[in-house]
Amino acid sequence: MDPSNVKETAKRVMENGEQLARNIWLAGLGVYSKSLEEAQGLNGKTTELFEELVTRGQEVEYATRQKLEDKKEKASEKLETRVNDLFLKLSGIDRKQLEEMNDKLDKLADAVESLSKK
């Protein structure tokens, strides 16, 4: 083997080794860059998904509150009806009639008061 040939072969091996090491380094930088871009893309998607879930949650909360209000009103009406029925049974007086009488008495008291001031 020729010594100059050995020297050139060693030089080529060394250059190839350096190029291989550089390519490995560049590939590592590429992987880092790509993963960073994908992570940023996922962050945007995550934010969108979170906002969508918040919106859906608000819709469910609103619908649930509406249903609860409706049920509360119905329960209140049923309770009032039962109390009126019980009052009628115990006193023999219809609550609506009693309220009408109270209104009439209030009007009468106002009329008497206005007459006494004159």
Side-chain angles (χ1 to χ4, degrees):
M1 223 177 187
D2 184 10
S4 63
N5 201 9
V6 170
K7 192 176 180 182
E8 283 184 35
T9 304
K11 188 177 177 181
R12 269 188 272 134
V13 167
M14 192 71 150
E15 287 173 356
N16 286 343
E18 286 176 2
Q19 186 60 43
L20 180 61
R22 179 158 171 73
N23 285 344
I24 290 170
W25 168 254
L26 292 174
L29 288 177
V31 166
Y32 172 75
S33 173
K34 186 168 178 78
S35 65
L36 190 60
E37 287 173 6
E38 287 181 8
Q40 289 172 343
L42 287 176
N43 187 28
K45 289 179 183 176
T46 302
T47 301
E48 289 174 19
L49 178 61
F50 180 76
E51 289 172 0
E52 181 182 332
L53 291 173
V54 167
T55 301
R56 285 186 184 178
Q58 289 170 337
E59 292 169 358
V60 168
E61 179 186 40
Y62 178 77
T64 302
R65 286 182 187 265
Q66 288 299 103
K67 287 180 182 178
L68 285 174
E69 280 298 317
D70 292 344
K71 297 217 183 258
K72 182 179 163 185
E73 282 181 33
K74 288 178 182 176
S76 180
E77 289 171 4
K78 286 181 180 180
L79 179 62
E80 188 174 334
T81 301
R82 287 184 180 167
V83 168
N84 287 338
D85 290 345
L86 182 61
F87 184 76
L88 177 64
K89 285 180 184 176
L90 294 174
S91 68
I93 301 172
D94 185 21
R95 189 165 181 124
K96 289 181 185 178
Q97 290 175 335
L98 186 61
E99 288 175 6
E100 289 172 5
M101 253 187 345
N102 278 336
D103 290 341
K104 289 178 183 178
L105 283 173
D106 288 340
K107 288 178 185 177
L108 184 60
D110 291 341
V112 169
E113 188 177 323
S114 68
L115 286 174
S116 67
K117 289 182 182 180
K118 289 183 181 183

